[in-house]
C-alpha cells in the first residue's frame, strides 16, 4: 500500500485533469482489438454512441444522457467485456450552415467562383443577429471551408467537456459525418439502396422551409400554436343554383384551388357531388367531390382543395387524381405566372395583384379583393391552431412541388413496415414502453423518407443526369459512379464514360447539386463507427452493436432511420438493446430546449460542483424518466458531491487501519457486514445488467452510508486496538468492504473512486474486476440490529442534551429474542462506540434503548 500517496486533506478539486491525463497516458479506455479477436463477438460490448451536433454548445441534457451510457459502459468493462466505445461528430447539415453564416457573416452563393484568398468579414457572431442582407456572399467551396474550420474547433471544445465529465470513450475511435471516409460510406449505402430499388426520385409536393430554401422530411417537423382566422368565401354553382360557402384559413391559395370536398355521408352536400362550381375572383371551374377525410363539423363542412395548403391537400390531390396548380415559389412568394386554368381577364388581373407577394401580404390583399367583390361572407373569425414548422425554422412550412430523392421506409410498403416493427420487437428496450413510440411512428408514416436537401454543407448525392439533345436533364437516365470512385462530388467530378468538357452540354451530363439530409448519413452511425465495407474484421467484431443510447425525442428520426438502413442492407436490427433517456426539465417541469431559452450549459456546473457530483445527479434518474434541474439550487448535484467527498475521507480513514498478515474474518459483526454487502453486490449487478443504473446506485449508496455512519463507527475502536483479538477481523473487513464499494461506485463516481483506489492498488479501478460476493458466512441481521440499536443510543444521548462522546454508566437495550442474540454478538463494539460501562439486554417487541444513566461530568 502506498500510504505516502494519501493526501492530508483529500479533495475533489483537480481530480478531473489529473486522472484524464493519466487515463490518456496509460490508454485505459482504448479498444483492445487483439483481445477482441481472441474473445470474439460474445466477449465485446459495442456502443453506437450518439454523435452530438457540432454546431454550438453542449447543454445539461447531453451530460444527462451521455452519463447514462458511460455508467453502463464502465460496468461492462469491469465485468470483463472488451468495450468498443467510439465517438462521432455530426458536423454537416442545416444547423452547421446557420452557425457558420452567423459566426462569420457570410452566406453561400453557388454561382460565385472560389476565392482562395477569402477572409470572412468577422469571426464570433452570436448565432442570432446576423441577417441575410448583411452577409457577404461567397462560393460554395469557400463556404464549405468555413464550415469545416468552425466544426473542427467546436469538436475540440466538445471533447474537452466530455473528458471533464469522465466519459470513458476511446478517443482514437472517432468519426465525422463530413469526412471523406464518411462521405464514401454514405454514398455507397445510397447506391446500394438505388440498385435494389429502395431509393428513387420523384416530382411531388414537398414540405419546404422558405428561409433555409430546402425540402424537409416528416421526422423534422414540429407543431406550434399559431393565430389564424376562418374566412367564409362564396363559390358559385355553375348550374346557377346559388353559392356554396366554404371556410378557409388560407384564402391566399384560392388561385391554386382544384376542387371542393365534403364527406361522402354529409347529406348537406351529397346533391353537389359530381357537379362543378366556379372559384371566386379567378372564375375557374372546379369539381365538387367526396372523400372520407373531409370533416363535416369543421367550418361549413365543405373544404377547398388547394395545391397545396396542408398535408391533407396532398392526400386529396393524390387519391382524387387532381391537377397541380402550385402558385408558391421556393422563396415563399406567389410566382409571377398564373396557373393555366385562370383564363379570364378579371381572374388574371386579380392574380397579378398577388404575384411576387409573400404569403402574409398575399393573404391581406386577397381578403381586400374578396371583400370588394362581395365574395367574402362576414368578417374573418380568429382562432389559434397548430401549424407545422421545420424544427429549426422560424416560419411555417409551405408545400411546393419539387423533384427530390426518397428512400422507401414502409409508409407505402406494408411488408417493409411490418418487418421494421418485427425487428423492433426483437430488441430489448429500456424502458420497454419506448418501443411503443417506435411502433406508433412507424405505423403513422404518411410518405417515404425524403433524403435530398437543397443546401451546401453535406454529403453530395452521388449521381449525374444525362442531357438530351436540348441540354435538358433526362431523369430516366441517372448516371452513377463505380464504388471504387467514391467519394465523389458530382459538381466537380465526372461520371464514367464522359469528360469534363461535356458538362452542361446537349448530349453530355449535369451533376446533381443536392446533398443528403444529415439524417441520411447519421442513420449509418453503426457502419461509420464499425468499419462497414472498410474494415470487415472490425465490423464482424462489433456488429450488430449491443446498444443504441439516445434521447426519446429522436426515436422518430435517428433510431427509426438507423433501423431502416440496417433492415434494408443487412436484414437485421443494428443493435440488441436501445437505452432511451428522458428529458431534462426546468424547475417548472418544462422541457429544456434552446428555442425556449431555458437551456443550462454544463461547464460552470461541472467546475463548481465537480464532475462526479454531476454524474451522480444524472445516474440517479432511471432511463426514460424526466429529471428536473435547477441551476440555482441543484440539490441532487450537491448530494452527489457530498457522497464523492465522503468516499475519499472514508477511504483515507479505512486505510489508516493496518491489516495484519494472515488476517481472517472472525467477528460476527464483520461477517454480518460482508454478508450484507454480498447482497448489495448481487442487487447492483442485476440492476446494471438490466440497464437500471439508478437502482444499482440506490442500493450501493444506501449501504455505503450504513457502512460509514454505523459499521465504521462501531468497529473503529477495535480496528485501532492491536491488542484486541478482533482487530485483524475488523481491519480486514474494512479493507474488503472499501475495495468492493469503490468498484461498485466506480461507474458513477469515476474520479473519486479512481483517486481512492490508487492509494492502495496498482492499476485503474475501471479495469479492475467487477466485485463478486465473497461468500463469507454471516448473518445480516446482526448489522441490522446493531445499527438500529446505535441509532437508539445516539437518540437517547441527544434527548438527554448530552454530547455523543459522553460516557454512559449503564444502559438497557430491549429487543426480540433473535435480535438480542445478534446484539450480544457485537456487544463489545456497541459498548465502545457508545462509551457504555454496563450494558444489559431485555426482551421487547422492537429494538429500544432505555434506562440510560450518563456518567456525571465535572463542571
Amino acid at each position: 500500500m502506498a500510504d505516502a500517496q494519501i493526501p492530508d486533506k483529500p479533495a475533489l478539486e483537480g481530480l478531473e485533469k489529473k486522472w484524464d491525463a493519466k487515463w490518456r497516458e496509460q490508454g485505459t479506455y482504448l479498444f483492445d482489438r487483439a483481445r477482441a479477436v481472441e474473445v470474439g463477438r460474445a466477449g465485446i460490448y459495442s456502443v453506437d454512441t450518439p454523435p452530438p451536433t457540432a454546431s454550438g454548445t453542449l447543454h445539461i441534457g447531453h451530460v444527462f444522457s451521455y452519463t447514462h451510457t458511460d455508467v453502463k459502459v464502465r460496468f461492462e468493462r469491469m465485468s470483463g467485456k472488451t468495450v468498443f466505445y467510439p465517438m462521432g461528430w455530426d458536423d454537416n447539415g442545416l444547423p452547421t450552415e446557420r452557425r457558420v453564416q452567423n459566426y462569420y457573416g457570410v452566406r453561400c452563393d453557388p454561382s460565385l467562383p472560389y476565392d482562395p484568398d477569402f477572409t470572412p468579414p468577422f469571426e464570433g457572431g452570436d448565432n442570432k443577429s446576423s441577417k441575410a442582407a448583411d452577409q457577404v456572399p461567397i462560393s460554395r467551396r469557400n463556404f464549405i471551408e468555413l464550415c469545416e474550420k468552425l466544426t473542427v474547433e467546436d469538436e475540440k471544445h466538445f471533447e474537452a467537456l466530455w473528458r471533464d465529465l469522465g466519459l470513458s470513450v476511446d478517443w482514437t475511435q472517432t468519426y465525422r459525418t463530413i469526412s471523406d471516409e464518411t462521405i464514401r460510406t454514405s454514398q455507397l449505402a445510397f447506391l446500394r439502396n438505388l440498385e435494389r430499388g429502395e431509393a428513387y426520385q420523384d416530382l411531388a409536393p414537398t414540405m419546404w422551409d422558405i428561409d433555409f430554401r430546402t425540402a424537409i422530411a416528416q421526422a423534422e417537423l414540429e407543431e406550434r400554436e399559431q393565430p389564424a382566422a376562418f374566412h367564409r368565401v362564396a363559390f358559385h354553382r355553375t348550374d346557377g343554383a346559388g353559392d356554396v360557402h366554404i371556410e378557409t384559413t388560407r384564402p391566399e391559395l384560392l388561385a391554386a384551388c382544384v376542387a371542393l370536398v365534403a364527406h361522402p355521408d354529409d347529406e348537406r352536400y351529397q346533391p353537389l357531388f359530381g357537379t362543378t362550381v366556379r372559384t371566386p375572383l379567378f372564375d375557374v371551374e372546379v369539381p365538387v367531390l367526396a372523400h372520407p377525410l373531409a370533416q363535416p363539423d369543421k367550418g361549413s363542412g365543405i373544404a377547398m382543395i388547394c395545391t397545396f395548403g396542408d398535408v391533407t391537400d396532398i392526400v386529396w390531390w393524390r387519391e382524387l387524381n387532381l391537377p397541380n396548380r402550385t402558385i408558391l415559389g421556393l422563396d415563399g412568394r406567389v410566382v409571377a405566372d398564373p396557373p393555366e386554368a385562370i383564363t379570364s381577364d378579371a381572374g388574371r388581373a386579380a392574380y397579378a395583384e398577388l404575384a411576387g407577394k409573400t404569403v402574409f401580404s398575399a393573404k391581406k390583399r386577397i381578403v381586400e379583393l374578396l371583400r370588394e367583390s362581395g365574395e367574402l361572407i362576414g368578417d374573418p373569425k380568429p382562432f389559434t391552431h397548430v401549424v407545422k414548422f421545420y424544427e429549426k425554422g422560424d416560419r411555417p412550412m409551405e408545400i411546393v412541388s419539387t423533384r427530390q430523392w426518397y428512400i422507401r421506409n414502409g409508409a407505402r410498403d406494408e411488408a417493409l413496415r411490418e418487418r421494421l416493427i418485427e425487428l423492433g420487437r426483437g430488441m430489448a428496450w429500456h424502458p420497454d414502453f419506448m418501443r411503443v413510440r417506435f411502433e406508433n411512428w412507424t405505423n403513422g408514416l404518411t410518405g417515404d423518407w425524403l433524403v435530398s436537401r437543397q443546401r451546401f454543407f453535406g454529403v453530395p448525392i452521388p449521381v449525374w443526369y444525362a442531357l438530351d439533345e436540348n441540354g435538358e436533364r433526362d431523369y430516366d437516365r441517372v448516371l452513377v459512379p463505380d464504388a471504387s470512385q467514391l467519394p465523389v462530388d458530382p459538381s466537380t467530378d465526372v461520371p464514367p464514360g464522359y469528360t469534363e468538357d461535356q458538362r452542361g452540354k446537349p448530349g453530355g451530363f449535369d451533376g446533381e447539386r443536392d446533398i443528403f439530409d444529415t439524417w441520411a448519413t447519421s442513420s449509418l452511425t453503426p457502419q461509420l463507427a464499425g468499419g462497414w465495407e472498410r474494415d470487415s474484421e472490425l465490423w464482424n467484431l462489433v456488429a450488430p452493436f449491443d446498444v443504441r443510447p439516445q434521447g426519446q425525442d429522436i426515436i422518430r428520426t435517428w433510431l427509426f432511420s438507423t433501423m431502416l438502413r440496417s433492415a434494408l442492407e443487412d436484414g437485421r436490427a443494428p443493435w440488441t438493446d436501445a437505452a432511451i433517456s428522458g428529458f431534462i426539465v426546468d424547475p417548472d417541469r418544462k422541457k429544456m430546449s434552446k428555442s425556449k431559452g431555458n437551456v443550462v450549459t454544463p461547464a460552470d456546473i461541472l467546475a463548481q460542483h465537480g464532475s462526479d457530483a454531476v454524474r451522480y445527479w444524472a445516474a440517479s434518474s432511471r432511463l426514460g424518466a424526466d429529471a428536473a434541474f435547477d441551476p440555482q439550487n441543484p440539490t441532487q448535484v450537491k448530494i452527489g458531491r457530498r457522497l464523492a467527498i465522503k468516499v475519499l475521507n472514508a477511504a483515507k480513514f479505512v486505510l489508516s487501519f493496518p491489516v495484519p498478515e494472515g488476517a481472517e474474518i472472525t467477528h460476527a459483526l464483520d461477517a454480518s457486514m460482508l454478508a450484507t454487502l454480498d447482497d448489495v453486490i448481487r442487487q447492483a449487478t442485476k440492476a446494471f445488467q438490466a440497464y437500471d443504473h439508478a437502482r444499482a446506485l440506490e442500493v450501493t449508496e444506501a449501504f455505503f452510508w450504513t457502512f460509514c455512519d454505523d459499521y465504521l463507527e462501531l468497529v473503529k475502536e477495535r480496528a485501532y486496538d492491536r491488542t484486541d483479538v478482533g482487530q485483524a477481523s475488523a481491519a480486514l473487513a474494512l479493507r474488503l468492504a472499501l475495495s468492493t464499494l469503490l468498484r461498485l461506485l466506480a461507474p458513477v463516481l469515476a474520479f473519486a473512486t479512481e483517486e481512492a483506489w490508487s492509494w492502495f492498488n496498482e492499476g485503474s479501478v475501471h479495469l479492475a474486476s467487477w466485485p463478486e460476493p465473497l461468500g463469507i458466512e454471516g448473518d445480516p441481521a446482526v448489522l441490522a440490529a446493531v445499527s438500529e440499536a446505535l441509532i437508539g443510543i445516539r437518540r437517547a444521548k441527544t434527548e438527554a442534551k448530552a454530547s455523543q462522546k459522553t460516557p454512559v454508566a449503564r444502559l438497557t437495550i430491549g429487543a426480540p429474542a433473535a435480535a438480542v442474540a445478534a446484539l450480544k454478538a457485537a456487544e463489545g463494539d456497541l459498548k465502545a462506540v457508545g462509551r457504555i460501562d454496563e450494558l444489559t439486554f431485555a426482551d421487547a417487541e422492537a429494538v429500544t434503548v432505555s434506562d440510560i444513566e450518563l456518567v456525571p461530568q465535572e463542571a
Side-chain angles (χ1 to χ4, degrees), residues 64-65 68-69 427-435 437 547-555 559 575 577-583 621-625 691 693:
F64 181 69
S65 58
H68 291 168
T69 306
M427 291 168 47
W429 296 73
H430 312 282
D432 183 66
F433 68 79
M434 290 295 178
R435 175 181 53 82
R437 300 190 183 185
V547 66
R548 155 58 69 82
Q550 65 166 72
Q552 58 184 303
D553 54 330
I554 51 174
I555 289 175
L559 191 147
W575 339 270
D577 292 69
I580 313 296
S581 296
F583 290 131
S621 290
R622 286 178 168 80
L623 289 171
Y691 285 81
H693 51 255

Side-chain angles (χ1 to χ4, degrees), residues 207 216-223 388-390 397 556:
M207 299 298 292
I216 299 298
Q218 181 181 351
E220 298 170 296
L221 300 176
E222 67 180 26
E223 293 182 335
K388 293 189 185 301
F389 281 71
Y390 171 44
M397 300 295 300
R556 62 192 172 90

Side-chain angles (χ1 to χ4, degrees), residues 28 32 38 42 77 90 106 278 485 673 676 738 763 774 812:
T28 304
D32 188 340
E38 181 182 334
R77 186 183 287 113
D90 191 6
V106 299
R278 302 194 76 82
Q485 289 181 264
M673 182 273 292
T676 305
L738 176 63
L774 294 170
T812 299

Side-chain angles (χ1 to χ4, degrees), residues 722-766:
R722 299 193 185 191
T723 64
D724 192 314
V725 293
Q727 188 276 334
S729 176
L732 177 61
L734 286 167
R735 190 67 59 88
L736 291 172
L738 176 63
S739 173
T740 299
L741 284 167
L742 289 179
R743 286 178 285 159
L744 287 174
L745 289 169
V748 177
L749 306 181
F751 295 99
T753 55
E754 184 76 301
E755 173 73 7
W757 184 263
S758 72
W759 296 341
F760 67 113
N761 289 285
E762 299 295 330
S764 171
V765 68
H766 302 296

Side-chain angles (χ1 to χ4, degrees), residues 129-147:
S129 64
S130 183
K131 298 178 180 178
D134 302 325
Q135 293 168 345
V136 175
I138 59 174
S139 73
R140 175 172 175 166
R141 183 175 168 188
N142 284 121
F143 187 78
I144 289 174
E145 286 179 354
L146 290 178
C147 289

Side-chain angles (χ1 to χ4, degrees), residues 789-811 830-837 849-855 857:
L790 180 57
I791 291 171
I793 294 169
R794 289 168 173 162
R795 184 186 303 118
K797 287 188 177 183
T798 300
E799 290 174 351
K801 294 182 172 56
S803 163
Q804 294 299 321
K805 296 181 179 180
T806 303
V808 177
R810 57 186 57 83
L811 179 144
L830 270 173
K831 292 175 71 174
V833 72
R835 301 195 174 196
I836 303 166
D837 291 336
V849 173
S850 61
D851 302 331
I852 183 170
E853 182 182 328
L854 301 178
V855 173
Q857 300 297 297

Side-chain angles (χ1 to χ4, degrees), residues 666-702:
T666 58
H667 197 285
L669 181 58
D670 305 333
S672 174
M673 182 273 292
L674 293 173
T676 305
L677 182 55
D678 276 358
D679 188 55
V680 171
I681 295 170
R682 284 187 283 268
Q683 290 186 62
T685 303
K686 182 179 179 181
F688 268 126
Q689 289 170 341
Y691 285 81
D692 192 353
H693 51 255
R695 175 60 182 163
L697 175 58
E698 180 184 10
V699 297
T700 303
E701 182 184 10

